[in-house]
Amino acid sequence: MSKEEYEREYGRTKLDHVLSHMTKAFGKFLEFLAILFLPFAIVEQVCIYGTSHPDQIISLLLVLLILFMALGVRAVKKLRK
């Protein structure tokens, strides 16, 4: 990386350099939180919807269970080969 590319990426001063690293780290932290908490938010919304529509949710969960079991069996067979 040349000096011009480095200055363009991180800035000219030490403060710019520190702030650019902090913003990149904060972006990685937000990405981690999105990966971690998005499934929990989906499960929470399904539970909330399921309290008023249990007949639809139970059938949906059964279909998802069958689908994930089939994908799991396929993944295990693929790992054994």
Side-chain angles (χ1 to χ4, degrees), residues 5-36:
E5 292 173 344
Y6 185 79
E7 286 180 355
R8 190 178 324 121
E9 180 77 22
Y10 296 110
R12 295 179 189 261
T13 64
K14 288 183 180 180
L15 179 63
D16 290 338
H17 186 78
V18 169
L19 290 175
S20 65
H21 279 293
M22 287 176 62
T23 56
K24 287 183 181 184
F26 186 68
K28 291 290 183 183
F29 180 70
L30 287 178
E31 181 181 340
F32 172 74
L33 286 180
I35 291 170
L36 183 66

Side-chain angles (χ1 to χ4, degrees), residues 9 13 21 27 38 40 45 53 59-60 64 71 74 77:
E9 180 77 22
T13 64
H21 279 293
L38 187 63
F40 292 126
Q45 292 300 315
H53 302 89
S59 61
L60 173 68
L64 288 175
L71 289 174
R74 181 175 174 231
K77 284 183 180 179

Side-chain angles (χ1 to χ4, degrees), residues 39-65:
F40 292 126
I42 291 171
V43 168
E44 178 187 10
Q45 292 300 315
V46 167
C47 291
I48 290 171
Y49 185 75
T51 58
S52 59
H53 302 89
D55 53 335
Q56 294 174 355
I57 291 297
I58 291 175
S59 61
L60 173 68
L61 290 176
L62 286 174
V63 169
L64 288 175
L65 177 71

